[in-house]
Structures are given as structure tokens and as C-alpha cells.
Amino acid sequence: MAGPTTNTIPEPAFETVGPVAGLRWFVFALFFIFGGITSLNDVLIPKLKGLFTLSYHEAMLVQSAFFAAYFIVSLPAAMIVQRLGYLRTASIGLLTMMAGCLLFVPASGSGTFGLFLVALFVLGSGIAIVQVVANPLVSMLGAPATAHSRLTFAQAFNSLGTTLFPLAGSVLILGSLATVDPATLSGASLTAYRSEETRTIVHTYFGLAAALLVIAGVVWMGRGRLRETLVRESILQAFTLLRRPRFAFGTAGIFLYVGAEVAIGSLIVNYLMQADVLGLGAEEAGHHIAFYWGGALVGRFIGAYLLRLISPAKVLVAAATLAVLMILLSANTSGVISGWSLLAVGLTNAIMFPTIFSLASEGLGPRAAEGSGIICMAIVGGAIVPLLTGRAADLTTLRLALAVPAACYVLIAGFGLYCRRYPSEAVPATAA
């Protein structure tokens, strides 16, 4: 087996105060938090789809509102990091997440789908800020040669959150899935019904808001753990990084990966409820989301080890190819095989985000925050690909709609092959 490619990340532009290991565990906790809250969207979609009698395409606006925030907020977040530092920016992100959670209160009171989308956009904005901080920070808190493995290990905590949160969310939110057909109501009675049925959502997110306030306070008090060399550059300067072919291809890879992962996660409850798949009820199907994200959890702990032994590009090609095969198997079978092969795509997803991110980011050095901002903008794939998949499902079937994420994984395999052919991009970190 070939060894991992050499990581060319220079020393970070900061010094740590106290043990590095303790700071790493703090960053791992951030991955757990924003991963878990993001995965609750998969539970919200069937709830809101039923209450507002939405098509699949319309229901995917939940993901579009949430992930559009990455495109709008990520690069400004990188600029905030440059001016205020990593930990202060993380505090801002956590407080923005708290504000998004609190906006579910007026959204429920109004019984209006559009206000839920506003709340999701604000929540997504906060998570985007935290993610711009977390990804480069964990990459730089240790030896450059093990950055791929370390980011994969951090993503395992993200997967732990995406595994546990839907379990609780299925009970709290889907456990009270509407028993009355909203199509039979109108006017004030319909608004009142929707407000009543969405109280479970309010209670869930209000509890999250309280927890985020506490965590933001802890982060702020620990802001002195990093002594950083702050820089001030034009926000447009970050786009010059796209002149690097590998960085540009990797950014596209993040767009495709997040889009494919979110599209499958968003539809999996409705997919498993189909009579020719597993024929489950809504709450039980919601519990199965944990297997999808739990596969990524297990795979990331395994991947953190394998990436120390095998070239990251080879691992990426193998994972993307296996994802395509699992989707094809699911779409062309029925019953248990169809359901569990689609759930197994979660395992193949395990190493993709951290591996694509670190392969694309090699050599950025002091421009790591800018690079993270650009790459996190590409997470907008989670807004666009699910929307296309939902539209395909409305026009055809859920099975045929899986062709959209399958095509994404094919292109991701192409990025892995590109990195195998060009194992390094020897461009100075300060080059435009």
C-alpha cells in the first residue's frame, strides 16, 4: 500500500496557549454540534412536507434555505477570522446559530412555511461561520503530514452528532406527525392547526438555543488560547485561489459531495416509507436516518486510520465508486436490499468531505482561512443538488431521482483520479 501524499501546509499563523490536545478536543466538540443540528433537517422535511402539503421539490427548499447560507456567509466569515481570530469568530457563529433556533418560535406562531425557511437560513449562517473556523483550525493543530487523518477523525465527531440528533428528533418531531389531512382545512383553522403541530419543533430548537448560548460563553472565555497573527486582505483576493486547478476542482468536489449526501439524507425517510422498499411508518423511518449517518461515523474512525497508510486520493476514488454501486443496487432492487443499500451510502461518505477538503487545501498556509471560506461556499451544493433531486422525484420516481446524486459521486471519483495523477501542487502559499 502506498503511503499518504505529503501535506505541504506550513506552520499556522498562531501559537497555542496550553496543551494542543485540549484545544483539539474543543474543536471536535464544535464538529459534533454543527453536525447534529444540520442532520435535524432530515427530520424536519417529512414533518413540514406533510403539514404544508408540499411536493418533493418544494420540501427540498428546507435544504436550499439552510445551505444557501454557506454561499452567502462563508467568505465574509473567513474575513472575520482574519480580523478577529478563530475563537472569537466561533463565538459569533454559535450566537448566530442560537438566533436561528429562536426564530422557530415566530415561524411556528405564524404557521407560515416561508418563516421556517428564514429561520433555517439564519441557523445555516451560524453553522457556516463555525465550519469556516473548525476545518482549517483542526488541520493546523498538529503535524502537517497527518492533516488528512486528523480532519477525518474530527469529522467522526460530526457524524456522531448526525447519528444521535436524528434519533432524538424523530421522537420529538416525527413522533407527533400530523394525523389530520391539512388539505381538509383552510383559513384560520389551518393556521391554528399548523401552529399547534409545529410546537414540537419549537420545543426542540428552543432547547438547542439555550445550549448554544452556554457553549458560546465557554468559547468566548477561552478565546485567549490562541495567539494569532491577524491579517487584513480584500475579500475578493480569496477568489484568486481558484486559479489553482487542484483547489478549484476540490471546491467543485465539495459542492458535489455535500449535495449528494444531503439529497439522499433528505429523501431517505420518504424512500424507506415506500411499500416496495421497507414500508415503514414516519417515526420508524426517521430512526433509520441514524444508520445512514452512523455509517459515516464508523467509516470516519476507520478512515482516520487508513489515511495514515493509503494515499488519500486512492481512498477517495474507492469510496466514491462504492457509493455509485450502492445507489445503483438500491434503485434496481426492492425490499430490504433496496433500503439498506441506500443507507449504506452513509458508510461510503465517511472520508469524502475531510479528504476532498484537505487535498484541495494543501499548500494554502496563511491563506487557509480564505481557502476555507471559498470551500465552505461550495457547501451550497446542499441547497442545489437536493432541489434538483426533488424535482426529478416529482417528474419520475424516488428511485430514478437517485441518478442525480449518483452522477455527483462519479465526478468526485474524477477528482480523486486527478489528485493521483498530480499528487502535489507546488505553488507558494502567497501566490495569487
Side-chain angles (χ1 to χ4, degrees), residues 102-118:
L102 292 176
L103 284 174
F104 279 90
V105 177
S108 175
S110 69
T112 305
F113 182 57
L115 286 183
F116 279 102
L117 298 182
V118 172

Side-chain angles (χ1 to χ4, degrees), residues 4-10 144 147-148 244 246-247 312 355-365 375 422-427:
T5 58
T6 302
N7 193 303
T8 57
I9 300 173
H148 297 283
R244 301 184 181 192
R246 180 161 165 166
F247 179 81
T355 304
I356 296 170
F357 184 95
S358 53
L359 284 171
S361 299
E362 285 181 353
L364 296 187
I375 291 175
Y422 304 100
S424 64
E425 192 171 70
V427 181

Side-chain angles (χ1 to χ4, degrees), residues 49-343:
K49 183 178 185 297
L51 284 177
F52 293 95
T53 58
L54 306 173
S55 67
Y56 285 113
H57 180 73
E58 291 168 334
M60 288 302 167
L61 289 173
V62 167
Q63 301 291 24
S64 295
F66 184 89
F67 285 98
Y70 280 88
F71 185 78
I72 297 171
V73 174
S74 292
L75 197 54
M79 301 302 106
I80 294 172
V81 171
Q82 290 183 332
R83 286 160 175 76
L84 300 181
Y86 283 97
L87 297 185
R88 289 177 176 83
T89 305
S91 297
I92 293 172
L94 290 164
L95 290 174
T96 305
M97 290 167 64
M98 181 192 74
C101 289
L102 292 176
L103 284 174
F104 279 90
V105 177
S108 175
S110 69
T112 305
F113 182 57
L115 286 183
F116 279 102
L117 298 182
V118 172
L120 285 160
F121 176 82
V122 176
L123 179 58
S125 297
I127 291 178
I129 295 170
V130 173
Q131 195 157 349
V132 167
V133 169
N135 285 313
L137 187 56
V138 78
S139 295
M140 294 185 289
L141 287 173
T146 57
H148 297 283
S149 175
R150 193 164 52 254
L151 187 52
T152 300
F153 187 73
Q155 287 285 336
F157 286 87
N158 180 280
S159 294
L160 181 61
T162 60
T163 302
L164 297 179
F165 276 56
L167 287 173
S170 295
V171 174
L172 296 172
I173 297 173
L174 293 182
S176 60
L177 198 65
T179 55
V180 176
D181 185 359
T184 63
L185 304 174
S186 62
S189 60
L190 178 59
T191 300
Y193 176 73
R194 286 170 172 169
S195 178
E196 177 66 26
E197 284 293 324
T198 54
R199 283 186 183 178
T200 55
I201 298 174
V202 171
H203 295 157
T204 300
Y205 282 87
F206 192 81
L208 289 172
L212 288 167
L213 178 61
V214 173
I215 297 166
V218 172
V219 174
W220 182 259
M221 289 188 292
R223 63 192 182 281
R225 292 291 306 277
L226 294 180
R227 293 175 181 168
E228 305 177 55
T229 302
L230 303 180
V231 297
R232 285 176 169 79
E233 294 183 0
S234 167
I235 192 171
L236 298 178
Q237 183 68 19
F239 287 101
T240 61
L241 291 172
L242 292 172
R243 296 175 185 173
R244 301 184 181 192
R246 180 161 165 166
F247 179 81
F249 200 170
T251 300
I254 290 293
F255 177 96
L256 295 167
Y257 161 70
V258 175
E261 179 186 52
V262 171
I264 293 174
S266 300
L267 292 175
I268 211 156
V269 170
N270 292 104
Y271 191 84
L272 298 180
M273 289 172 66
Q274 294 181 115
D276 63 345
V277 184
L278 296 183
L280 301 176
E283 183 179 351
E284 189 177 358
H287 288 319
H288 280 66
I289 295 174
F291 292 105
Y292 178 68
W293 297 111
L297 170 63
V298 173
R300 278 168 177 164
F301 282 117
I302 296 171
Y305 172 74
L306 290 178
L307 287 167
R308 293 174 179 266
L309 305 174
I310 306 173
S311 163
K314 288 183 179 179
V315 177
L316 181 61
V317 172
T321 301
L322 188 57
V324 174
L325 294 176
M326 288 297 99
I327 291 173
L328 291 175
L329 180 62
S330 180
N332 291 282
T333 57
S334 61
V336 173
I337 294 176
S338 178
W340 285 96
S341 56
L342 189 62
L343 289 168

